[in-house]
Every structure is written in structure tokens, then in C-alpha cells.
Amino acid sequence: MLHKDDQLLKEQANEQIREHGSLVQRDPYRLHYHVMPPVGLLNDPNGLVYFNQLYHLFFQWNPFQTDHGSKFWAHMTSKDLIHWEWQPIALAPSDPFDKNGCYSGSAIVHENKLYLFYTGNVRDQAGNRESNQCLAISEDGITFEKKGPLFTVPEGYTPHFRDPKVWKENDMWYLVIGAQTEHLQGRALLYKSQNITEWQLVGEISDKEKPLTDFGYMWECPDLLLFDNQDVLLFSPQGIEPQAYQYHNIYQTGYLSGVLDRQTANFNHQEFIELDNGFDFYAPQTTVDGQGRRIMFGWMGLPETDEAFHPTKDYRWIHAMTIPRELTLKQGILYQQPVKELTQLRKEPLLNQQQKLVDEVVTLHEIHHDALEFIFQVHAIKGKSLEVSFSEHTKLVFNKEMQTLTLHRNSIKSYQSEARTTDLQELTELRVYLDVSSIEVFVNQGEKVFSARLFDAIPYHELTLQVNGTLDYHLQAWSLKNVMK
């Protein structure tokens, strides 16, 4: 049993890095340009914020195991969203109000100080859970002083009450938090405050005329995004059954767009839309940076899904963040694009060709790299289908007749082929980021996205295009730098 002294806990965590860091770095599946843990398990992004000319990214971190144990807040900073520097551990589960984990939360800048809001997880000897919403403050953005709990679970909800996300509008502070009702239904609650420390419950965020009922048993990591006169509630519901091509992961992440009344929590919104159509995406968080961009990171993983079979566990680490993405809202749809800074990763161009294919299979053999970016522009496609293969088991298939796009990969657990599919009427562009053990696909300027981990394809030897019909396209490709050494 670890002693609950804050500095001792942090030192014990740092000792894990010193002891196992060289083993972690020897893993052939270590990524080249994604944020990863130096050892142990990474999951939810936390506290994403732009402060003192730096991007601050915190994340849930278990330094002692590659399983979900008691969580710390790890901390990294970057000037450009590409090169990241490890910082001293921000939060350790060292106090009675967070002794079983400093769970997810957010960060804001106030009076030139950095405020962290997080959930303190507490369990008694019988395993019963308590949930405290806590505050920690830093003047330099590096060293944090815990201020303790601000509020606990309101009446009518279970202790599954966590992940506060805070923002300011005019002179009022707001907070949205994930919750579970006593009837075991997922909800997001809205709070408000005039001074950041005293919070008043406004109510459940819900369309009072058309409430979203029976939509999972818990909503995690809510985030409210503001786009001009539109609001977007981003959250990760648990307990949704698959429907057609939707909801095929164990847990989902998606959003509702509409208009939220800050005084009543009434939310007049459109239908729920999945944010990522791939295998590995969960618990994203956003911030507005110094350029006014809405930037998002997601956890490129999922809890309780084949984690025991990740080969990186043999090297004492597991999971990574997605690449940073810029979000825009167009006609109620969130578009995701890789941030422009990622073009700085490009090394020599590998391909730049414009061609027309008719019922052909074309294999490009000159690709032999661990990390790649592709931009595949479809000028015209007529016929039945287009298949783009990145390795023997990893491919994208656009079925023009069925109007679907499918990502195929080998299962991490069974090594058998598996797929995720989304509806897609037309294909105009694929922008693909391949890393040593991941793929992220941005479709039609970010209208749809697929994220997945891959553990069977390094280095990437070739790209194959197979068209059943006629294809007129322009293809560019670059090898990408390793900035995570």
C-alpha cells in the first residue's frame, strides 16, 4: 500500500519512469508524433488550456501499472502542438477527498492563474464510492496547490458524478458535469457561479419538450462548445446499443448541437451524432487557444476493450492521445481537421501524382516508412467501389453503390479482420495520418473521422488503390518526423 503523502507519491511515480523508461522506449510500437505516457497507462485528456504562451495538456495517468488503477494528473506543455515537454506531476491522489484517484476535469485561466477542476474519487473499505468536485490552483502553471472539494453529489444522483468542464461567459462562470440518475440513466448537469468557488445547480441539460431518455446509463466527460449562436454538447455516453452502422464500440462519443438556455438548462438540440467512426476514440476535451481556434484532443483508446491484448503492455505502457484537431461547426455538423502545425512534421515528399484509373489495381511500392501522411483527392469516381489499402490488413473501402465508407483492420485480440462503417454519399478527399501503431482518417475535409490503433503493419511497405469503375485522383504523401524520441 502506498503512503498517501503527496511528494512521496509523486516521487514513487517518477521512480517508475526512471526504472522502466528505457524499456518503454525500446517498444517497436512506440509512436512518432502522438502524446504517450512515459510509463504506465494513459487515458482521458484533462485540463487542456492555453496559458502563458503554452498549450497545457494534462491526462489521466496510472504510472504503476498498465491497468486502470488510482489515477494521477500527468502534465505536458507545448509551444506548437507538436513538440511536447514533460512537466512535474500536477496532481496525485494523496488527500482524503481524492485518495482513490484524481479523476478527469478541466482547466481555466483566471486572474493570471491556472485553475484545475477535477473529480476526487474516494472508496471505502466496502468499495462504496464517493465523488468530490475539487479545485487546485497554480500561479506558474507548473506547481499546483489543492484547495479541496467545492461540491459533492446532488440529491437524485448516484456517486457516478464526475468530469467537470468549466468556462466563462460575460461575468458568469458555468460548469457542465457527467452524472447518473438514481434510475441509472446518463445525464449532464449545468452549474453556474459568480466567483468560481460557490456553485449553484441550474439543472439537467435536456430538451424539455423532447427529452433524450434511455440514452445510456452514464454520460462521461461532457464539454460545452460555443460557436457563434450555436452550442454543442460533447459527451461520452455508456450503455448505448448498436444501431445499423452506429454505436458499435463498447462506449460512444458524440454530440448534440443546438441552443442551450443558461438560466433553465433547456437545450433545444438536433439528433446525437457520433464524433469518430473508428475503433479507438473516447473522452475528448477541447479548449479555445490564443488564435481563437477550438482545439480538441481525444483518448485514442477505450476502457474495457481488448486492453489486455495490447502488445505495448509488455513494454510497460499503453494508450496515446489523438493528434490535435481543430473543430468547426457547419450546419450543425462538427468538422475535424488536423491542426495546421502538423504540416511541420513533413519530411521529403514521397508521392505527388495525378492519374486516372479504369477497373485497375495500382500498387505503389516506394513507400517504406513508419510514419506517413496522405492526401488523396478524388476529382471524380464512377462505378461501384474504391479500395485504399495501407497494409495487408488495414484498408478503407468506399462503396459508391451503398454510399458507405468502411475501415478494416486486424482485431487486437483475435487477429481476425474487423470493420467500422459510416454512411457517406460522396467521397471527395481522404487525409490520412499513419503512425507506427495508429491511423487517423479525415474524410471530406473532416466531415467524418476514423481513429484506430494498429499493431501489425510496421513499417508501411506500400499503398494499393483498387477501383471498380473509373477514378480520377490526385495523391500526395510525405514521411513524417519522429518528435517523440
Side-chain angles (χ1 to χ4, degrees):
M1 174 68 71
L2 294 170
H3 186 267
K4 295 299 186 180
D5 175 82
D6 192 80
Q7 286 306 120
L8 178 59
L9 269 178
K10 291 176 179 177
E11 178 55 32
Q12 290 172 330
N14 287 326
E15 179 59 31
Q16 296 295 306
I17 301 175
R18 291 189 291 268
E19 182 178 351
H20 303 294
S22 60
L23 173 64
V24 171
Q25 292 300 323
R26 291 199 299 272
D27 186 358
Y29 287 117
R30 197 79 173 156
L31 295 154
H32 283 190
Y33 53 90
H34 288 81
V35 170
M36 299 166 287
V39 69
L41 177 141
L42 166 154
N43 61 304
D44 303 2
N46 298 150
L48 179 61
V49 70
Y50 189 72
F51 175 65
N52 283 351
Q53 308 303 309
L54 290 173
Y55 293 92
H56 293 254
L57 174 63
F58 305 82
F59 58 81
Q60 293 283 278
W61 182 44
N62 179 2
F64 304 108
Q65 299 173 304
T66 53
D67 300 309
H68 292 273
S70 190
K71 300 294 176 64
F72 292 64
W73 271 38
H75 183 195
M76 301 184 80
T77 58
S78 175
K79 294 179 181 179
D80 59 6
L81 292 169
I82 299 174
H83 302 89
W84 291 91
E85 182 178 353
W86 181 257
Q87 296 293 351
I89 298 166
L91 300 174
S94 57
D95 287 277
F97 51 80
D98 61 14
K99 67 184 182 71
N100 295 107
C102 298
Y103 278 12
S104 292
S106 58
I108 56 96
V109 177
H110 177 55
E111 296 179 345
N112 203 32
K113 298 177 184 178
L114 192 54
Y115 284 59
L116 303 186
F117 298 83
Y118 69 100
T119 297
N121 184 48
V122 178
R123 290 180 183 270
D124 63 19
Q125 292 184 341
N128 298 310
R129 183 192 298 265
E130 296 178 16
S131 181
N132 303 299
Q133 309 317 311
C134 305
L135 173 65
I137 300 177
S138 174
E139 294 191 6
D140 61 3
I142 303 298
T143 304
F144 293 86
E145 179 183 355
K146 291 180 182 177
K147 299 298 183 180
L150 300 175
F151 59 93
T152 56
V153 182
E155 186 176 351
Y157 299 89
T158 77
H160 287 285
F161 181 73
R162 53 183 174 267
D163 313 333
K165 181 69 192 306
V166 179
W167 75 98
K168 188 178 185 181
E169 292 181 48
N170 301 318
D171 295 325
M172 187 68 72
W173 294 94
Y174 294 95
L175 179 155
V176 62
I177 190 166
Q180 180 186 69
T181 71
E182 291 179 342
H183 300 292
L184 306 185
Q185 292 190 331
R187 294 290 186 269
L189 305 187
L190 179 67
Y191 283 76
K192 65 180 180 180
S193 172
Q194 292 183 324
N195 61 9
I196 293 188
T197 57
E198 298 171 302
W199 292 90
Q200 175 187 350
L201 175 61
V202 179
E204 290 183 1
I205 297 178
S206 176
D207 190 326
K208 309 308 182 198
E209 295 184 1
K210 298 179 295 181
L212 191 62
T213 58
D214 194 26
F215 199 72
Y217 57 78
M218 176 64 194
W219 292 3
E220 292 196 308
C221 301
D223 192 349
L224 193 82
L225 322 182
L226 287 64
F227 294 95
D228 296 325
N229 296 320
Q230 281 247 284
D231 300 305
V232 174
L233 179 66
L234 183 63
F235 62 103
S236 296
Q238 298 179 330
I240 308 292
E241 293 296 321
Q243 299 176 16
Y245 299 132
Q246 295 182 301
Y247 315 144
H248 284 270
N249 292 332
I250 185 172
Y251 304 132
Q252 320 309 321
T253 294
Y255 61 93
L256 304 167
S257 63
V259 178
L260 174 65
D261 187 327
R262 273 66 166 166
Q263 303 306 312
T264 65
N266 186 62
F267 188 32
N268 183 7
H269 59 76
Q270 299 178 15
E271 295 297 315
F272 182 84
I273 299 175
E274 282 190 277
L275 190 63
D276 193 292
N277 299 105
F279 296 91
D280 299 292
F281 185 90
Y282 195 67
Q285 187 166 112
T286 75
T287 193
V288 177
D289 72 357
Q291 302 175 47
R293 300 179 299 177
R294 177 68 68 169
I295 304 297
M296 180 185 74
F297 281 87
W299 171 27
M300 196 156 47
L302 277 167
E304 305 169 40
T305 305
D306 300 341
E307 289 178 294
F309 301 93
H310 280 234
T312 66
K313 288 172 70 75
D314 294 338
Y315 293 83
R316 297 189 69 94
W317 74 282
I318 187 171
H319 296 314
M321 291 295 163
T322 66
I323 58 173
R325 306 170 182 181
E326 181 179 357
L327 302 183
T328 54
L329 187 69
K330 303 175 184 178
Q331 297 181 332
I333 304 297
L334 272 182
Y335 282 70
Q336 305 171 61
Q337 285 275 55
V339 296
K340 61 185 179 183
E341 289 89 341
L342 289 169
T343 59
Q344 298 174 35
L345 290 171
R346 294 173 181 171
K347 295 196 291 186
E348 67 275 10
L350 300 177
L351 294 169
N352 187 1
Q353 63 181 42
Q354 191 156 339
Q355 198 168 340
K356 187 173 184 178
L357 303 178
V358 180
D359 293 324
E360 293 182 61
V361 178
V362 176
T363 301
L364 307 170
H365 293 277
E366 59 263 42
I367 296 172
H368 189 88
H369 295 270
D370 294 341
L372 297 158
E373 177 193 354
F374 295 93
I375 297 180
F376 184 77
Q377 294 174 314
V378 177
H379 297 313
I381 179 170
K382 298 178 182 179
K384 294 182 179 180
S385 64
L386 166 67
E387 182 177 303
V388 184
S389 299
F390 303 99
S391 68
E392 181 181 358
H393 304 291
T394 305
K395 61 184 178 181
L396 288 162
V397 178
F398 174 56
N399 189 316
K400 187 171 175 60
E401 291 185 328
M402 298 290 292
Q403 295 187 329
T404 60
L405 182 66
T406 301
L407 172 66
H408 298 262
R409 74 164 184 188
N410 255 13
S411 165
I412 296 170
K413 179 180 179 180
S414 69
Y415 300 105
Q416 301 300 308
S417 180
E418 58 181 356
R420 292 289 183 269
T421 298
T422 186
D423 293 302
L424 191 71
Q425 292 185 357
E426 294 291 337
L427 177 63
T428 59
E429 183 187 81
L430 296 172
R431 186 172 181 184
V432 180
Y433 278 83
L434 282 164
D435 206 338
V436 177
S437 56
S438 72
I439 185 170
E440 290 166 86
V441 182
F442 299 85
V443 184
N444 296 351
Q445 301 292 320
E447 174 190 355
K448 300 288 183 80
V449 180
F450 293 85
S451 302
R453 296 299 302 277
L454 310 173
F455 293 111
D456 62 351
I458 54 171
Y460 299 97
H461 294 286
E462 60 189 33
L463 176 72
T464 300
L465 305 179
Q466 180 174 340
V467 60
N468 187 339
T470 302
L471 172 67
D472 185 359
Y473 72 92
H474 181 204
L475 175 62
Q476 296 172 280
W478 298 263
S479 62
L480 300 180
K481 301 173 186 175
N482 185 350
V483 294
M484 291 296 175
K485 293 179 180 178

